């Protein structure tokens, strides 16, 4: 996966050299590009064609057209998204707008295929939550993305299991471990079999899942993958707080044995199944899983509580979708209008409407909008509070993917082989991170 992404990035990088003469980092019209404000905005979104997500986004695009008079066409692409984007860059014909994960900001900015967003051209940017506003900025402090939807993790717990065993939902790491042990050893489903476990964990190396999931615990312990230092970054996985987080997390697998079997080879789909089929009784995940679990497991069988507090705090991973205004567009006013409309209060509320996953906004990024304005479900407010008070985005360095992947490889290895020397492995990882930060030109000098 890592090598494919790098190859695609290199292809886009070469292709976008041809865009240099017609792209701009400012908000004015690119040199050599004739503006055509009546042209149809071409919008790409990275999602599966025919999915509820595509349905929801098409409804939003239709609402945008009706409200503003602009014309727009949405195309959903999932397979080979990066490759197809590279091909269009090579043709000097990028789509006007790309809707993609905020985690792709560093990569897309480095590739030179996105343009800077001016606050005066997107007035509603002033209403973004502080986290969302910061998430859209690159390491130079300039804005190259507009988040339109946010999400943060909370803990899903089998409430029926808690009731059967006379337990309360965990509030601290010690509580979490105690409940996980009880779920593993005390037959909470009452079938007389030793077939339940405490915590569902996606610990595969695929797409960096082990690192992605572990980040919740790493940050709550006060640790980090890399840390800001002066004008650059330094590796941080062998720092005391990071070591402590890894020791505790590994202990759930190697000592307490409360993690579902096969976790080290699982990404999210089989981990989701582990929770909804009663293999595991707790799962730290995002609000996007509620419609599925309500249907497959039953809303009366589980509850949503804040992530248990770690040694430092209850920090959790924040993520979400972002609007990228692509370089070389002939319709920059249309680009600006779409971004501004989408983060306005009315569109944010409209985006939260829908059931069974047919909504385009998980949590609003507009600070004037509350989840309760649309959803009469206290569980969503738990996620919203987690985002507002404890949500933390991954840093927008030039390329987060290799950092996430190499940290995932080490986390996975430590979970898969309990005999490995933890401190030695983390020290070796920091050496690799140092080399990567140097390659990206952001290692502290």
């Amino acid at each position: 996966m890592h090598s494919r992404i790098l190859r695609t990035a290199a292809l886009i990088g070469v292709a976008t050299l041809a865009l240099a003469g017609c792209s701009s980092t400012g908000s004015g019209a690119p040199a050599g590009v004739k503006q055509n404000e009546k042209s149809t905005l071409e919008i790409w979104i990275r999602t599966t064609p025919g999915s509820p997500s595509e349905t929801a986004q098409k409804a939003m695009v239709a609402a945008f057209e009706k409200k503003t008079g602009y014309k727009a066409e949405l195309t959903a692409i999932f397979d080979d998204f990066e490759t197809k984007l590279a091909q269009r860059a090579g043709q000097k014909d990028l789509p006007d707008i790309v809707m993609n994960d905020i985690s792709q900001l560093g990569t897309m900015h480095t590739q030179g295929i996105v343009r800077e967003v001016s606050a005066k051209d997107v007035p509603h940017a002033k209403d973004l939550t502080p986290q969302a506003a910061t998430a859209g900025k690159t390491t130079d402090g300039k804005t190259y993305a507009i988040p339109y939807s946010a999400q943060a993790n909370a803990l899903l717990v089998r409430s029926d299991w808690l009731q059967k065993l006379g337990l309360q939902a965990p509030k601290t790491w010690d509580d979490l471990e105690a409940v996980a042990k009880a779920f593993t050893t005390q037959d909470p489903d009452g079938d007389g079999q030793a077939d339940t476990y405490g915590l569902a964990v996606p610990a595969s190396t695929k797409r960096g899942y082990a690192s992605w999931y572990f980040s919740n615990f790493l940050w709550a312990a006060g640790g980090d993958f890399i840390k800001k230092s002066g004008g650059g970054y330094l590796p941080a996985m062998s720092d005391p707080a990071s070591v402590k987080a890894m020791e505790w997390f590994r202990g759930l697998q190697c000592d307490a044995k409360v993690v579902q079997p096969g976790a080290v080879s699982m990404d999210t789909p089989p981990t989701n199944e582990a929770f909804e089929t009663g293999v595991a009784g707790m799962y730290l995940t995002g609000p996007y899983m509620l419609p599925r679990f309500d249907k497959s497991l039953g809303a009366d069988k589980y509850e949503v509580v804040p992530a248990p507090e770690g040694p430092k705090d209850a920090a959790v991973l924040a993520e979400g979708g972002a609007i990228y205004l692509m370089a070389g567009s002939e319709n920059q006013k249309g680009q600006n209008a779409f971004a501004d409309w989408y983060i306005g209060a009315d569109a944010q509320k409209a985006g939260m409407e829908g059931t069974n996953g047919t909504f385009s906004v998980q949590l609003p990024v507009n600070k004037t909008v509350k989840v309760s304005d649309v959803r009469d479900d206290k569980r969503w407010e738990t996620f919203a509070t987690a985002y507002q008070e404890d949500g933390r985005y991954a840093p927008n360095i030039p390329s987060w993917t290799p950092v996430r992947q190499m940290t995932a490889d080490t986390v996975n290895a430590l979970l898969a082989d309990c005999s490995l020397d933890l401190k030695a492995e983390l020290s070796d990882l920091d050496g690799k991170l140092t080399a990567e930060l140097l390659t990206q030109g952001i290692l502290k000098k």
Side-chain angles (χ1 to χ4, degrees):
M1 181 71 177
H2 181 201
S3 60
R4 181 179 66 81
I5 291 174
L6 289 179
R7 287 195 300 271
T8 302
L11 177 58
I12 293 180
V14 171
T16 50
L17 288 175
L19 285 171
C22 65
S23 64
S24 169
T25 58
S27 60
V33 174
K34 182 178 180 181
Q35 288 292 290
N36 182 358
E37 297 167 14
K38 295 183 179 180
S39 62
T40 298
L41 287 167
E42 185 180 9
I43 303 172
W44 281 18
I45 183 168
R46 191 180 189 278
T47 194
T48 304
S51 66
S53 175
E54 181 193 25
T55 300
Q57 294 292 5
K58 283 190 172 181
M60 292 296 284
V61 169
F64 163 73
E65 290 180 316
K66 183 177 181 180
K67 180 68 176 180
T68 67
Y70 282 97
K71 297 298 182 183
E73 182 176 354
L74 181 79
T75 300
I77 302 172
F78 187 78
D79 293 331
D80 299 321
F81 182 88
E82 294 86 0
T83 300
K84 292 173 182 176
L85 193 60
Q87 292 170 344
R88 290 290 296 271
Q91 298 164 6
K92 295 184 284 186
D93 184 28
L94 288 164
D96 298 288
I97 291 168
V98 166
M99 302 178 76
N100 202 353
D101 294 341
I102 189 63
S103 62
Q104 292 301 306
L105 171 56
T107 298
M108 294 176 71
H109 174 245
T110 300
Q111 292 165 345
I113 58 175
V114 294
R115 68 175 178 87
E116 185 181 354
V117 181
S118 168
K120 69 180 179 64
D121 291 331
V122 184
H124 282 119
K126 71 180 185 304
D127 296 326
L128 289 173
T129 64
Q131 301 100 309
T134 300
K137 298 180 185 296
T138 50
T139 52
D140 59 6
K142 297 179 180 179
T143 299
Y144 282 89
I146 297 290
Y148 67 86
S149 174
Q151 61 205 46
N153 291 333
L155 187 68
L156 277 55
V157 188
R158 286 293 297 264
S159 53
D160 54 342
W161 290 11
L162 289 173
Q163 184 176 4
K164 183 175 186 300
L165 300 181
L167 300 172
Q168 298 293 319
K171 295 182 180 180
T172 67
W173 278 15
D174 287 343
D175 294 342
L176 177 68
E177 188 168 354
V179 171
K181 287 179 179 178
F183 281 179
T184 304
T185 62
Q186 296 182 25
D187 190 25
D189 62 358
D191 68 354
Q193 304 294 318
D195 56 0
T196 57
Y197 296 84
L199 186 66
V201 175
S204 167
T205 60
K206 181 181 178 182
R207 295 183 63 195
Y209 273 110
S211 171
W212 171 80
Y213 191 77
F214 175 59
S215 64
N216 298 283
F217 302 105
L218 177 65
W219 292 335
D224 215 334
F225 300 108
I226 59 175
K227 58 188 177 184
K228 186 74 174 174
S229 181
Y233 289 85
L234 290 173
M237 284 300 289
S238 59
D239 287 359
S242 300
V243 172
K244 184 175 183 178
M246 191 69 244
E247 288 175 339
W248 180 83
F249 189 60
R250 189 193 202 192
L252 298 178
Q253 164 81 355
C254 295
D255 302 323
K257 303 184 187 305
V258 297
V259 175
Q260 89 277 12
V264 294
S265 63
M266 290 185 182
D267 53 11
T268 49
T271 309
N272 296 338
E273 293 177 9
F275 180 74
E276 67 188 351
T277 60
V279 174
M282 291 184 287
Y283 190 16
L284 191 65
T285 190
Y288 44 83
M289 295 307 304
L290 294 184
R292 170 173 168 165
F293 291 157
D294 283 357
K295 182 177 180 180
S296 62
L297 181 60
D300 60 328
K301 294 293 196 299
Y302 72 99
E303 60 184 282
V304 179
V305 298
E309 188 164 340
K312 182 176 181 290
D313 53 32
V316 289
L317 176 66
E319 299 179 293
I323 296 167
Y324 296 93
L325 310 185
M326 306 304 287
S329 172
E330 296 183 359
N331 192 350
Q332 288 196 359
K333 286 189 176 181
Q335 288 178 311
N336 294 335
F338 183 78
D340 190 56
W341 172 83
Y342 214 121
I343 60 175
D346 289 344
Q348 288 281 288
K349 292 175 184 178
M352 284 192 288
E353 294 176 351
T355 58
N356 296 322
T358 56
F359 40 77
S360 59
V361 175
Q362 301 279 343
L363 302 174
V365 295
N366 187 312
K367 60 189 177 186
T368 71
V369 178
K370 298 179 180 178
V371 168
S372 57
D373 292 339
V374 176
R375 299 186 178 118
D376 184 21
D377 186 337
K378 294 291 186 182
R379 300 176 304 171
W380 280 93
E381 293 185 32
T382 299
F383 284 106
T385 300
Y387 173 70
Q388 293 161 4
E389 297 182 359
D390 301 302
R392 177 172 172 179
Y393 289 92
N396 286 324
I397 62 174
S399 182
W400 179 245
T401 299
V403 173
R404 181 177 59 194
Q405 188 61 55
M406 61 180 61
T407 53
D409 291 344
T410 296
V411 172
N412 173 271
L414 287 169
L415 295 178
D417 186 348
C418 298
S419 68
L420 289 177
D421 186 318
L422 184 146
K423 290 185 178 179
E425 292 295 318
L426 294 181
S427 179
D428 182 60
L429 172 59
D430 268 358
K432 296 175 182 177
L433 290 171
T434 297
E436 179 60 35
L437 295 174
L438 180 62
T439 296
Q440 295 193 28
I442 56 173
L443 182 67
K444 180 187 177 184
K445 297 180 180 178

